[in-house]
Amino acid sequence: MRITFWGVRGSIPTPGPDTVEIGGNTSCIEVRAGKAIVIFDGGTGLRLLGQKLLKEMPLTAHIFFSHVHWDHIQGFPFFGPAFVPGNHIHLYGGNNVSRTLEETLAGQMDYPSFPVHLTEMAAKMTFADLYEGQTLEIDAGDGSAFRVTTSRGNHPNGVWAYRFEHKGHAAVYATDTEHYSVVDPKLTKLARDADILIYDAMYTPEEYAGTAGTGGPKVGWGHSTIDEAAKLAKAAGAKKLVLFHHDPGQSDQAVREKERRCREWFANTVAAYEGLTFEL
């Protein structure tokens, strides 16, 4: 597997001189396994990924959405391959209270919010609703299967976490999930012995408590902290921890400081940045 990060921010894109190193695009990662193209989340990083994929058409891609808050879907209307006939896009997500994934993506592109409707995208699109504990298999094109297993996280309106596996290696994508007073047993199980744990570490403990940063306490906002990330990585026996979904108010320097502090608790930690790539 090759895992590439195209967007690592949370809440809203943050372009500017203070975010050049880490990047300002919102959540999107690309996974390649054999011939399989699998994408997790459709934040603004998806636009840049789409530009690269235009060189590989015709293509089949699979997009798994953790949930449908803006910062995880706002890149989809600008995903170039979705406008090209002959491409096939499989889209996976949960039913968000009263709307399916298809209804939510279509609503984002409806008048007066956007000039081009979902139905005007020329690629073939197949939508699938997920349920907890489900394992899906995607043909990697070389006789092997790319497996994705679902679990629920802790976030307003719900969120999905994913474990993906190929040829004996495993990684976990668990963003937009808030820790409990004990280490989340569902995520511990999902991340057991994973090579890589990609986890929502939006805040420092002080920012979460409201003693640092702006906006007061963040309890109940659906996001976690660097110390809780380290606790989960240790409990699950993960080999590497990737801090993800950085707060829009954090500069490059602040993100690197999160990384430095977290390494004191879990040595094999790296802060996600645009262009970061892992080979498994």
Side-chain angles (χ1 to χ4, degrees):
M1 288 191 292
R2 184 172 73 250
I3 304 169
T4 304
F5 290 75
W6 290 89
V8 301
R9 290 281 170 179
S11 300
I12 191 169
T14 56
D18 292 333
T19 60
V20 170
E21 179 189 356
I22 300 301
N25 282 294
T26 60
S27 302
C28 180
I29 70 169
E30 171 197 15
V31 183
R32 306 298 289 259
K35 294 183 179 179
I37 303 172
V38 184
I39 301 164
F40 291 92
D41 271 333
T44 56
L46 183 64
R47 183 185 69 86
L48 299 176
L49 171 56
Q51 290 178 341
K52 188 200 77 165
L53 292 178
L54 288 174
K55 302 173 184 178
E56 302 182 41
M57 298 185 302
L59 59 81
T60 297
H62 301 260
I63 306 179
F64 289 82
F65 291 87
S66 61
H67 62 313
V68 292
H69 286 166
W70 284 342
D71 51 329
H72 297 261
I73 64 172
Q74 62 195 160
F76 183 72
F78 302 92
F79 184 51
F83 290 89
V84 180
N87 291 336
H88 190 176
I89 315 295
H90 298 266
L91 304 107
Y92 308 83
N95 189 315
N96 186 39
V97 185
S98 61
R99 289 187 174 187
T100 64
L101 174 63
E102 182 175 7
E103 290 168 338
T104 303
L105 293 180
Q108 177 186 218
M109 298 176 69
D110 203 358
Y111 178 83
S113 300
F114 201 76
V116 180
H117 195 263
L118 178 71
T119 56
E120 297 179 61
M121 288 178 150
K124 179 181 179 181
M125 296 191 195
T126 304
F127 289 85
D129 292 334
L130 301 173
Y131 59 87
E132 189 170 17
Q134 180 179 7
T135 296
L136 301 94
E137 290 194 354
I138 296 170
D139 183 6
D142 58 358
S144 65
F146 181 89
R147 293 183 177 84
V148 180
T149 301
T150 67
S151 186
R152 289 188 182 274
N154 179 28
H155 194 67
N157 303 123
V159 69
W160 293 98
Y162 299 105
R163 179 186 179 99
F164 48 98
E165 302 171 275
H166 184 245
K167 293 187 176 179
H169 291 285
V172 169
Y173 180 74
T175 189
D176 291 65
T177 187
E178 188 167 358
H179 56 277
Y180 300 105
S181 58
V182 297
V183 178
D184 190 327
K186 289 184 178 180
L187 293 185
T188 301
K189 179 181 178 181
L190 190 73
R192 180 70 63 199
D193 299 325
D195 295 282
I196 297 173
L197 169 60
I198 303 163
Y199 182 74
D200 182 325
M202 192 164 184
Y203 304 122
T204 65
E206 298 80 13
E207 289 168 339
Y208 182 76
T211 59
T214 60
K218 309 301 190 296
V219 179
W221 287 24
H223 300 285
S224 195
T225 60
I226 53 175
D227 56 324
E228 295 294 336
K231 290 179 185 178
L232 176 60
K234 288 180 179 179
K239 298 177 179 65
K240 181 182 287 291
L241 171 63
V242 180
L243 308 178
F244 189 71
H245 204 269
H246 307 305
D247 185 85
Q250 292 170 350
S251 65
D252 291 333
Q253 182 179 357
V255 173
R256 288 303 180 200
E257 178 62 12
K258 286 197 309 183
E259 180 183 64
R260 185 198 66 78
R261 291 181 62 185
C262 196
R263 284 175 175 170
E264 296 179 356
W265 301 311
F266 191 85
N268 196 6
T269 295
V270 61
Y273 59 88
E274 290 181 25
L276 175 63
T277 300
F278 296 107
E279 296 276 357
L280 293 177

